[in-house]
Amino acid sequence: MKTLPKERRYETLSYLPPLTDQQIVKQIQYILDQGFIPAVEFEENPKPTDHYWTLWKLPLFSASTPQDVLAEVRECRSEYPSYYIRVIGFDNIKQCQTMSFIVHKPNTGRF
């Protein structure tokens, strides 16, 4: 059995190999299908105790397709290539964040 390399882990999906754009689109589609509001956040050196990251623009209230959100992820990635970037989903009924996942880690290209 092979163990994972020693590195800091974030969120549930950070234990998986880097997500492709197609896999990111599927996760974003789930957010939209559930009626959650997507948003993109970034942080230079997040710690496990950091619950709040910097919000990239406003939440994407008008996003109707995963491509709308993915375009913002790409824009954030090009603006902050050395930062961690995640997509989050807000439930406007419960007034809370319901899910999040890392879409970019610095020095690894993608995830």
Side-chain angles (χ1 to χ4, degrees), residues 50-70:
D50 291 344
H51 298 287
Y52 301 104
W53 290 23
T54 304
L55 190 62
W56 168 258
K57 299 185 179 178
L58 292 173
L60 305 169
F61 297 107
S62 62
S64 57
T65 67
Q67 297 306 324
D68 297 338
V69 181
L70 191 58

Side-chain angles (χ1 to χ4, degrees), residues 3-93:
T3 61
L4 295 171
K6 285 193 169 219
E7 62 181 36
R8 189 178 289 172
R9 302 292 179 179
Y10 300 92
E11 317 287 335
T12 303
L13 299 179
S14 69
Y15 288 87
L16 297 175
L19 295 176
T20 64
D21 280 352
Q22 291 175 335
Q23 293 168 322
I24 293 169
V25 163
K26 287 181 182 181
Q27 295 298 320
I28 294 170
Q29 186 63 56
Y30 178 80
I31 290 172
L32 296 172
D33 289 346
Q34 299 304 308
F36 302 148
I37 298 167
V40 179
E41 294 182 327
F42 63 97
E43 191 65 36
E44 185 172 16
N45 189 20
K47 297 173 182 58
T49 56
D50 291 344
H51 298 287
Y52 301 104
W53 290 23
T54 304
L55 190 62
W56 168 258
K57 299 185 179 178
L58 292 173
L60 305 169
F61 297 107
S62 62
S64 57
T65 67
Q67 297 306 324
D68 297 338
V69 181
L70 191 58
E72 292 296 330
V73 168
R74 288 179 177 148
E75 190 176 336
C76 183
R77 191 184 294 161
S78 68
E79 183 80 22
Y80 297 101
S82 63
Y83 284 54
Y84 290 82
I85 301 170
R86 71 179 177 183
V87 173
I88 58 174
F90 286 111
D91 186 335
N92 65 337
I93 305 300

